[in-house]
Amino acid sequence: MRTTTLGRDGPVVGRLGLGAMGLSYRYAPTLRDRSKAVSLVQEAVDLGVNLVETAGAYAAGDNERLIGEAIRGRRDEVVLCTGGGLLGDADGALRPAGGPQALRDAVDESLRRLHVDHIDLYLLRRVDPGVPLEESWGALAEQVWAGKIRMLGLPVVTVQEARDAEAVHEAAAMAAEVSLFTRCGLDDVVPYAVERRIALLAGAPLGRGLLAGALSTYDDLAPDDWRRTQPRFAPRAIRHNFALTQAVAQVAARHEATPAQVALAWLLRLGDHVVPLPGTRASYHLAENLGGDGVRLTEQDLTDLEFLPYAAGAPEV
């Protein structure tokens, strides 16, 4: 797998990471299997994936416990990414929690749940509208100086907000939902990240499963799947979006690849600093996703994908 660095002087990571949220949070609770989830994380590391992303808000902290269990005895093989600034309950509801003390507590709780003595990359998950960004960022900078965190990452912010935060402490990464279906911010945030040598962690790079081509109707979702509550997966929207995936499949056919691999290859073409974080619960999808690093899109492919219509429905929150 090709590699890049987090920030100017950060660790080397593979160009594809692993987003762990879906292993224990939001997607079809009745289909979860904890032992298989732990095994999948370990398999990903075996295959060369060294950036693993979780969060304290995922499943009220249980997602971090799962990752801690999976990497036990393999800490030096993993660049561990988690984050705070949001509080989540087991039902999936989230609320901002960007106060300095809340963030200090969140860092300590993450260390405890993950069974580690430091976190490689800590993301501020959301800007709390009730707390100045500089206060939240400053509280996390204190945790870096205390040795609990190695590097910091920003959430979706404006370029000016990013500059204000970096006046307090540099950012090694920015995390945002970016995919062929969610291209917001590519005209300003990405150039800023390139200029500052900040890694862009692309969450939900497969459109939360839509770009994999497996979901064609609302009824394809399990009855308890959180995506049933999201506009992009509403009956009319999902039919429209599945049609877009078929256009991606036409590009994939030229390379004997899958739509998911093309979606990831498109993200990788945005720049060496872009690191997609696809998530999955299946070994065969893990192998499929990693194959996206081997797809080399042509200029014609990129033109066809650039003119892909926008997806129906707002991005998930």
Side-chain angles (χ1 to χ4, degrees), residues 219-239:
D219 291 333
D220 290 333
L221 296 166
D224 57 353
D225 196 309
W226 162 83
R227 289 173 291 185
R228 281 178 171 256
T229 69
Q230 299 302 301
R232 193 159 282 179
F233 293 86
R236 182 177 297 180
I238 199 171
R239 288 195 297 271

Side-chain angles (χ1 to χ4, degrees), residues 12 15 44 50 86-87 111 123 162 221 255:
V12 175
R15 289 293 309 280
N50 68 335
L86 283 174
L87 290 178
L111 291 169
L123 301 174
L221 296 166
H255 299 271

Side-chain angles (χ1 to χ4, degrees), residues 180-181 205-207 209-214 241-242 244-267 288-289 292 295 297 305 308:
L180 279 168
F181 280 180
L206 300 180
L210 279 171
L211 282 161
N241 296 333
F242 179 73
L244 300 186
T245 302
Q246 300 316 291
V248 180
Q250 293 177 10
V251 174
R254 301 171 193 163
H255 299 271
E256 297 184 351
T258 67
Q261 290 171 336
V262 166
L264 293 170
W266 177 80
L267 280 166
E288 176 189 2
N289 292 343
V295 176
L297 298 176
L305 295 171
L308 195 69

Side-chain angles (χ1 to χ4, degrees), residues 52-118:
V52 178
E53 176 263 347
T54 179
Y58 297 166
D62 191 57
N63 197 263
E64 287 185 323
R65 295 186 191 95
L66 187 156
I67 297 304
E69 180 181 346
I71 68 171
R72 190 170 300 151
R74 308 186 68 174
R75 178 66 179 92
D76 59 349
E77 299 178 62
V78 175
V79 176
L80 187 56
C81 171
T82 189
L86 283 174
L87 290 178
D89 58 33
D91 295 328
L94 298 172
R95 63 183 187 277
Q101 189 56 51
L103 287 168
R104 296 185 195 104
D105 292 342
V107 170
D108 288 338
E109 290 166 3
S110 291
L111 291 169
R112 175 178 52 80
R113 289 190 290 253
L114 290 161
H115 297 286
V116 297
D117 61 5
H118 74 281

Side-chain angles (χ1 to χ4, degrees), residues 6-7 81 121-124 137 151-155 166 170-175 193 197-201 273:
L6 292 181
C81 171
L121 176 63
Y122 196 88
L123 301 174
L124 179 63
W137 196 247
M151 299 168 294
L152 297 180
L154 284 164
E166 287 213 285
E170 69 177 297
M174 299 178 74
R197 294 176 62 186
I198 297 171
L200 178 63
L201 305 185
H273 62 296

